[in-house]
């Protein structure tokens, strides 16, 4: 009886993971700056974004915003909230696109839909990398 209970709890946990709320992006440490929101890459907490392919997120402007280092000199910032059903999306350095693990939607780095079921683009935010600072217009 107890084992059955554990089995059901494990199954429920697995189902939550499988149908959960998407990617688990590490939170970026941000500050308010003249351009909007800044991410200091000298802060060890943001080390993920010093590597090409690194992806982090932060909350601002009533949104959760994904920031990804797409090359040595470029970053992108998009809403991390999938327009299909609200899961958190993730940037794939392998494909160079933004993917949603919940139901397979895929977006270009400009937020446009490459594959459904999502049928609306992700909101794009202007993002620049200058020296060791990423600035996102929020
Ligand atoms: Fe992203 Fe369904 S929530 S594809």
């Amino acid at each position: 009886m107890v084992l059955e209970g554990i089995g059901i709890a494990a199954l429920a946990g697995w189902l939550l993971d499988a149908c959960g709320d998407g990617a688990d992006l590490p939170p970026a440490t941000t500050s308010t700056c003249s351009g909007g929101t800044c991410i200091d890459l000298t802060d060890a907490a943001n080390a993920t974004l010093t590597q090409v392919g690194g992806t982090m997120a932060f909350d601002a402007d009533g949104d959760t915003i994904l920031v990804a280092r797409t090359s040595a000199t470029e970053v992108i910032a998009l809403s991390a909230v999938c327009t299909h059903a609200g899961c958190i999306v993730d940037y794939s350095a392998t494909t160079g696109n933004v993917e949603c693990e919940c139901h397979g939607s895929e977006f270009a780095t400009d937020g446009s839909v490459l594959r459904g079921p999502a049928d609306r683009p992700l909101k794009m935010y202007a993002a620049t990398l200058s020296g060791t600072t990423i600035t996102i217009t929020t």
Side-chain angles (χ1 to χ4, degrees), residues 20 81-89 99-107 115-118:
V81 182
C82 182
T83 57
H84 173 235
C87 285
I88 298 299
V89 298
E99 302 172 349
C100 182
E101 66 184 35
C102 285
H103 312 103
S105 288
E106 194 169 333
F107 304 86
R115 184 176 64 219

Side-chain angles (χ1 to χ4, degrees), residues 29-40 58-61 65 77 125-128 133-138:
T29 298
T30 63
S31 62
T32 302
C33 57
S34 60
T37 299
C38 284
I39 299 175
D40 178 3
F58 65 96
D59 291 328
D61 198 30
I65 300 173
Y125 296 87
T128 58
T133 302
I134 296 173
T135 304
I136 298 109
T137 304
T138 49

